């Protein structure tokens, strides 16, 4: 996994998740609403909606909240109209940053994101300035507990149409083309593997390593962005070496 992904797993421990549960539900609700608006309210016929619902259930979002978000998206309930777009920029040390936005007020979101970049010694870029450094990939995380060994998981993933498998401490990370994400997820489930998550993500083509001080600066920017309600996801090409990661965990 990339350095930022490892850091996300560290900081999203249960105590912090509980403290921010309301904010998490707000973001997940927006994802469901937009997915239902764009592709309809049937998760079996709307892949993006199914992914959004799966993420919401993983976060223990109540079923009534999920249903309300779907109905807002299909027009059965009134609500805000959300836009989805991406900002691009640079964190300290030249680290590339993509910020996935979902908002009912573009001007507010633009002002907030610009302020956060400036406050943390970063800078916003023009459209296309850093997006070329990333590829869109499907990502399926499989729980390592109860799963077979790496070699067998690689064979199962390859048979399902996956492109690559990465090994992490407590899970396997399977990469797919965006088009094959749902098919791979379903095939692995059919093989009895426990799926932790399945989503589209941006993977950096090359990564950047900084010293501890520089890494901490970048992570402060990432944290500040992720705490904004309009920000859905933050992707970077920051790679954190294990020795620095251990200091950050301490």
């Amino acid at each position: 996994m990339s350095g930022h992904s490892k850091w996300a797993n560290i900081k999203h421990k249960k105590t912090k998740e509980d403290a921010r549960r309301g904010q998490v539900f707000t973001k997940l609700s927006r994802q469901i609403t937009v997915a239902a608006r764009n592709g309809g309210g049937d998760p079996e016929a709307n892949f993006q909606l199914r992914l959004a619902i799966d993420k919401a259930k993983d976060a223990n979002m109540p079923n009534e909240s999920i249903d309300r978000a779907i109905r807002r998206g299909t027009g059965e309930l009134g609500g805000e109209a959300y836009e989805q777009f991406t900002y691009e920029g640079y964190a300290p040390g030249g680290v590339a940053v993509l910020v996935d936005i979902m908002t009912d007020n573009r001007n507010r979101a633009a002002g907030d994101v610009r302020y956060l970049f400036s406050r943390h010694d970063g800078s916003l870029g023009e459209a296309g300035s850093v997006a070329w450094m990333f590829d869109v990939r499907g990502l399926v995380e499989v729980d390592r507990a109860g799963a077979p060994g790496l070699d067998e998981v690689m064979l199962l993933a390859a048979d399902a149409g996956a492109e690559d498998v990465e090994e992490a401490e407590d899970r396997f990370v399977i990469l797919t083309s965006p088009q094959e994400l749902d098919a791979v997820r379903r095939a692995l489930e059919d093989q009895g593997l426990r799926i932790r998550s399945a989503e589209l993500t941006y993977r950096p083509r090359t990564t950047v390593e900084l010293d501890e001080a520089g890494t901490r600066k970048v992570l402060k920017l990432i944290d500040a962005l992720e705490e904004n309600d309009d920000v859905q996801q933050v992707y970077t090409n920051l790679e954190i070496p294990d020795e620095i990661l251990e200091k950050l965990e301490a």
Side-chain angles (χ1 to χ4, degrees):
M1 292 296 286
S2 68
H4 175 50
S5 295
K6 287 189 289 187
W7 174 253
N9 287 333
I10 293 166
K11 72 182 185 125
H12 290 162
K13 291 184 178 179
K14 188 174 188 304
T15 52
K16 190 162 186 178
E17 284 182 349
D18 287 345
R20 296 171 58 180
R21 187 170 299 278
Q23 184 187 55
V24 170
F25 287 173
T26 295
K27 295 187 178 188
L28 291 170
S29 178
R30 291 184 184 184
Q31 291 179 26
I32 293 169
T33 296
V34 170
R37 183 191 68 194
N38 292 340
D42 180 5
E44 290 303 314
N46 183 344
F47 173 53
Q48 293 295 337
L49 177 60
R50 185 160 63 252
L51 289 180
I53 291 173
D54 287 345
K55 288 175 66 176
K57 288 183 175 179
D58 287 342
N60 296 317
M61 187 172 177
N63 288 331
E64 305 112 38
S65 299
I66 294 173
D67 291 340
R68 280 198 303 271
I70 294 173
R71 292 165 64 194
R72 279 196 297 269
T74 57
E76 297 175 59
L77 293 178
E80 298 86 353
Y82 295 111
E83 297 180 81
Q84 188 170 16
F85 48 91
T86 301
Y87 283 121
E88 304 174 35
Y90 289 94
V95 172
V97 181
L98 290 178
V99 186
D100 184 21
I101 300 290
M102 196 174 289
T103 182
D104 60 347
N105 188 322
R106 180 183 284 260
N107 290 334
R108 180 192 65 218
D112 287 349
V113 171
R114 185 175 293 107
Y115 167 76
L116 291 172
F117 268 91
S118 175
R119 181 183 178 187
H120 293 277
D121 299 323
S123 61
L124 275 180
E126 299 294 329
S129 59
V130 303
W132 61 272
M133 301 182 195
F134 296 81
D135 293 317
V136 181
R137 288 287 182 269
L139 186 149
V140 182
E141 290 192 332
V142 172
D143 200 330
R144 193 160 186 156
L150 175 61
D151 289 343
E152 187 170 345
V153 170
M154 291 180 69
L155 287 174
L156 293 173
D159 288 344
E163 296 179 346
D164 196 11
V165 178
E166 298 176 355
E167 192 174 18
E169 181 178 351
D170 59 351
R171 66 202 181 287
F172 296 104
V173 180
I174 291 98
L175 299 174
T176 78
S177 68
Q179 297 79 11
E180 294 296 320
L181 173 59
D182 190 42
V184 171
R185 179 185 69 85
R186 288 174 179 266
L188 294 175
E189 281 183 331
D190 289 343
Q191 292 295 327
L193 299 181
R194 182 179 180 276
I195 306 300
R196 284 192 177 187
S197 66
E199 61 185 351
L200 294 174
T201 189
Y202 287 94
R203 298 279 292 192
R205 296 180 180 179
T206 59
T207 58
V208 174
E209 290 187 9
L210 303 177
D211 60 17
E212 182 182 349
T215 298
R216 288 184 182 276
K217 286 184 178 180
V218 174
L219 294 176
K220 284 183 180 179
L221 170 60
I222 293 171
D223 279 342
L225 288 167
E226 289 182 338
E227 288 171 3
N228 184 283
D229 284 345
D230 291 329
V231 174
Q232 290 291 316
Q233 298 284 347
V234 181
Y235 305 96
T236 82
N237 65 346
L238 175 66
E239 181 71 26
I240 307 179
D242 288 340
E243 59 270 20
I244 293 180
L245 194 59
E246 291 174 1
K247 294 180 181 178
L248 296 173
E249 289 184 85

